[in-house]
Amino acid sequence: MNEPVRILNLFTIMNRGGAETMVMNYYRKIDKSKVQFDFMVHRQERGAYDDEIEAMGGRIYRMCPIFPQNFAKYKKMLKVFFDEHPEYKILHSHMSELGCFAFQEAEKHGIKVKICHAHNAPVKGSMNLKEKGQLIFRDYFKKKMLPFTDHLFICGEEAGNWLYGEENKDRFVMMNNAVDAEKFRFSSAVREEMRKEFGIENKLVILNVGRFNPQKNHTFIIDIFKEIKALQEDSVLLLVGNGDLQEEIKEKVKKLGLTDSVKFLGLRSDVDKILQCADVFLFPSLYEGLPVTMVEAQSSGIKCFISDVIPQQCVLTDDVTALSLSKGAKYWAEQIVMLKDGYERKDRYDDMVKADFDITSNAKWLCDFYLAQYNNAYGENL
């Protein structure tokens, strides 16, 4: 084989979200002499990972957003795209049910390997009225998509059950949200360096990494931290990420008089180092698929406090404590403050490898999967 098989990945935009970060983990480690990643995105602005993608030889194609008013335009754009790019034989969508448009057009163009990837599992009880209303349309597109999908990838069973239905369990293909476990290995030297950089020496440091959207439950994070401060004055909260609710959360922090103790760090490329300097990873999400940030956190040996609605499959070490959201902010704070005197950080590299969440073996698995499916579908021996 002279040229690698080019995989067309579908995303909204390549920013530092969980699914995007996971795919980049695979992209960095996959054998690019055999497989190359390209990306169809649905925003005109550049994403945080665009420079790195292009540096590794990836191509980025920009489409219009998949909004109802754009459906007709988007379908025409897809037809033109696949007419002009017959080189794509494998399509890997990370856009949940909205991949149905691309799958339908790909089917017309004879593409025989169409992969849908379930990354999340919404929970009705945690949705607002708008999100509940959107479920009607989401359910419609899920059913419309399924007949055109050749492989049903999942990050966890809950995500697969929601997107594809439990009746299709025998078709699920687990793709682990693997990380570079060596990169996240705990280092006391890095810990001291980062704590000095942030000016948080001798503090109890709480960390959350996630988009500022309802799912990540930032308002409850602030409530918990307020209670932590009442119990342990020398505490600080680090928030990594951005999103629509960021200004609202900043306003809440200001009203509660916590501005000096809460650091909004924005999007960061050094989450591995920030994890080293924190004492507690706080993750009270309303729902999740199998969060990459949880795998990263456990790789660093940090103590994690998560909501009990997060899938048990993401618990890979004994550093994780799952609590009910109904227990309230004060209870969460009391459990966290028990760690105020510190604890011994363990090297979790071997645990991550044993759990099969290290990226090296997983990237080889994915490369082999793509090539096998290409051979089976198109009768070519790569």
Side-chain angles (χ1 to χ4, degrees):
M1 178 177 65
N2 296 323
E3 295 292 330
V5 173
R6 303 197 78 94
I7 312 300
L8 186 64
N9 287 275
L10 269 63
F11 275 100
T12 299
I13 184 171
M14 286 305 293
N15 278 333
R16 298 184 188 279
E20 295 84 353
T21 297
M22 181 273 293
V23 168
M24 291 301 293
N25 287 340
Y26 276 86
Y27 189 16
R28 295 181 190 108
K29 292 292 185 178
I30 207 161
D31 186 343
K32 296 177 193 60
S33 69
K34 297 178 180 178
V35 167
Q36 176 59 256
F37 283 8
D38 294 328
F39 296 82
M40 176 184 284
V41 298
H42 297 78
R43 295 292 184 271
Q44 294 306 304
E45 64 268 28
R46 290 182 67 80
Y49 286 124
D50 285 11
D51 288 347
E52 185 180 1
I53 288 168
E54 291 169 346
M56 290 193 288
R59 302 165 185 166
I60 302 172
Y61 305 97
R62 301 188 188 282
M63 309 290 275
C64 66
I66 312 178
F67 298 151
Q69 63 268 31
N70 290 338
F71 283 174
K73 175 183 178 182
Y74 182 53
K75 290 177 182 178
K76 290 178 182 177
M77 291 180 74
L78 285 170
K79 182 182 184 306
V80 170
F81 177 87
F82 287 114
D83 283 344
E84 294 178 349
H85 293 280
E87 69 269 25
Y88 292 109
K89 305 295 184 184
I90 298 179
L91 186 64
H92 193 151
S93 172
H94 305 270
M95 300 186 67
S96 195
E97 71 279 0
L98 289 181
C100 69
F101 296 100
F103 288 151
Q104 287 177 312
E105 193 59 45
E107 180 88 4
K108 295 175 185 176
H109 283 76
I111 297 176
K112 301 176 182 177
V113 184
K114 299 177 291 298
I115 303 167
C116 185
H117 202 136
H119 289 286
N120 224 329
V123 177
K124 285 186 179 180
S126 62
M127 292 181 174
N128 57 38
L129 286 176
K130 181 181 177 182
E131 290 171 325
K132 289 178 180 178
Q134 290 172 340
L135 276 183
I136 298 171
F137 298 97
R138 299 195 71 181
D139 287 341
Y140 167 77
F141 284 113
K142 284 193 295 184
K143 293 173 183 176
K144 191 174 181 181
M145 173 194 70
L146 205 56
F148 299 95
T149 308
D150 301 301
H151 302 283
L152 309 182
F153 273 36
I154 63 171
C155 66
E157 284 190 13
E158 288 89 346
N161 291 340
W162 181 83
L163 186 56
Y164 312 123
E166 291 187 46
E167 66 275 14
N168 289 298
K169 270 189 177 181
D170 59 340
R171 294 181 58 196
F172 291 0
V173 178
M174 177 68 75
M175 178 172 161
N176 289 331
N177 285 356
V179 304
D180 186 344
E182 181 64 42
K183 180 180 177 182
F184 286 87
R185 212 166 188 166
F186 178 68
S187 163
S188 56
V190 172
R191 175 179 171 83
E192 290 179 15
E193 172 193 333
M194 296 301 291
R195 288 173 77 91
K196 185 176 181 180
E197 177 181 324
F198 289 133
I200 53 175
E201 301 101 318
N202 304 315
K203 301 275 189 181
L204 175 64
V205 181
I206 316 300
L207 171 66
N208 174 270
V209 179
R211 284 193 180 110
F212 282 80
N213 63 19
Q215 172 191 347
K216 301 301 182 181
N217 209 6
H218 280 86
T219 188
F220 188 53
I221 291 172
I222 303 305
D223 290 339
I224 294 170
F225 184 66
K226 180 178 180 293
E227 298 292 343
I228 289 174
K229 284 288 288 184
L231 296 169
Q232 183 70 25
E233 176 62 28
D234 291 335
S235 301
V236 65
L237 173 64
L238 307 181
L239 298 174
V240 175
N242 63 9
D244 295 339
L245 297 182
Q246 187 169 358
E247 291 307 313
E248 179 182 316
I249 298 302
K250 283 184 177 179
E251 186 61 28
K252 177 169 184 171
V253 167
K254 183 179 179 180
K255 287 181 178 179
L256 292 175
L258 298 172
T259 302
D260 293 340
S261 301
V262 180
K263 296 180 182 292
F264 291 84
L265 302 182
L267 292 175
R268 302 281 299 212
S269 60
D270 59 348
V271 172
D272 55 314
K273 293 182 178 180
I274 296 173
L275 279 163
Q276 309 290 333
C277 79
D279 301 300
V280 172
F281 187 75
L282 179 57
F283 206 65
S285 296
L286 299 177
Y287 59 87
E288 291 286 349
L290 198 152
V292 177
T293 50
M294 272 299 300
V295 182
E296 293 173 343
Q298 289 173 90
S299 295
S300 77
I302 194 173
K303 294 294 184 182
C304 304
F305 287 80
I306 70 173
S307 56
D308 61 4
V309 298
I310 295 175
Q312 183 67 23
Q313 287 172 290
C314 83
V315 179
L316 308 174
T317 72
D318 59 8
D319 288 323
V320 180
T321 299
L323 302 175
S324 171
L325 294 172
S326 66
K327 289 286 188 179
K330 186 175 181 180
Y331 179 83
W332 279 64
E334 289 170 346
Q335 304 307 303
I336 290 168
V337 169
M338 288 181 186
L339 298 175
K340 67 181 185 300
D341 296 326
Y343 58 92
E344 182 182 356
R345 291 280 279 262
K346 297 178 182 177
D347 186 325
R348 292 298 189 180
Y349 177 81
D350 290 341
D351 295 304
M352 304 312 290
V353 172
K354 184 178 179 181
D356 199 23
F357 273 83
D358 180 55
I359 193 61
T360 303
S361 60
N362 281 277
K364 183 181 185 306
W365 169 85
L366 183 61
C367 183
D368 291 344
F369 181 91
Y370 285 143
L371 297 181
Q373 297 308 316
Y374 188 100
N375 294 340
N376 291 339
Y378 302 105
E380 298 181 33
N381 187 21
L382 299 177

